[in-house]
Amino acid sequence: MQCPSCQQVIRPSQVADSTTHGVDVHVVCPYCRARLAVNGRATRAKLMGFVLMMAGSGVMLWAPERSWVFGVMVCIAGGAMAFSARRKERQLLWLDKPENRGNGLGEGRRRQ
């Protein structure tokens, strides 16, 4: 994953602060402390694609002989959906900008 604020690559093992709300995950960048979110819609679409792949596999295995073409089409559609959703899921959304700590204005001091 790449932080949209500081453009640093974030590995999941580096994330220390994270909260979950269902499939929505909010993380804090370890480099610039910006609050980021994983796209929850993409996670739902990825899960639905995997379910379609499993359903298509079941149709190919246990349905009558002529319905294997339908099972193949469902598997391909589910795989394409899961693959495209996974690419979208890797893009982080920017919730809050990081605090300005370098100029001394972010800690209660005011410009005079």
Side-chain angles (χ1 to χ4, degrees), residues 63-96:
E65 185 177 332
R66 292 185 181 177
S67 61
W68 67 271
V69 175
F70 177 71
V72 169
M73 290 188 320
V74 169
C75 277
I76 291 173
M81 183 181 208
F83 180 74
S84 63
R86 175 66 181 147
R87 292 191 61 181
K88 185 70 175 171
E89 185 183 38
R90 292 182 59 121
Q91 298 172 355
L92 295 173
L93 304 173
W94 197 356
L95 295 177
D96 287 338

Side-chain angles (χ1 to χ4, degrees), residues 11-79:
R11 293 190 179 107
S13 61
Q14 294 174 328
V15 176
D17 300 330
S18 66
T19 57
T20 59
H21 306 285
V23 291
D24 296 330
V25 179
H26 296 188
V27 297
V28 176
C29 176
Y31 300 106
C32 67
R33 307 298 297 166
R35 285 187 46 220
L36 309 169
V38 176
N39 192 345
R41 285 185 178 178
T43 304
R44 288 180 189 95
K46 181 181 73 170
L47 292 173
M48 194 165 45
F50 285 131
V51 167
L52 281 175
M53 285 177 24
M54 292 293 114
S57 298
V59 166
M60 286 190 295
L61 288 174
W62 293 298
E65 185 177 332
R66 292 185 181 177
S67 61
W68 67 271
V69 175
F70 177 71
V72 169
M73 290 188 320
V74 169
C75 277
I76 291 173

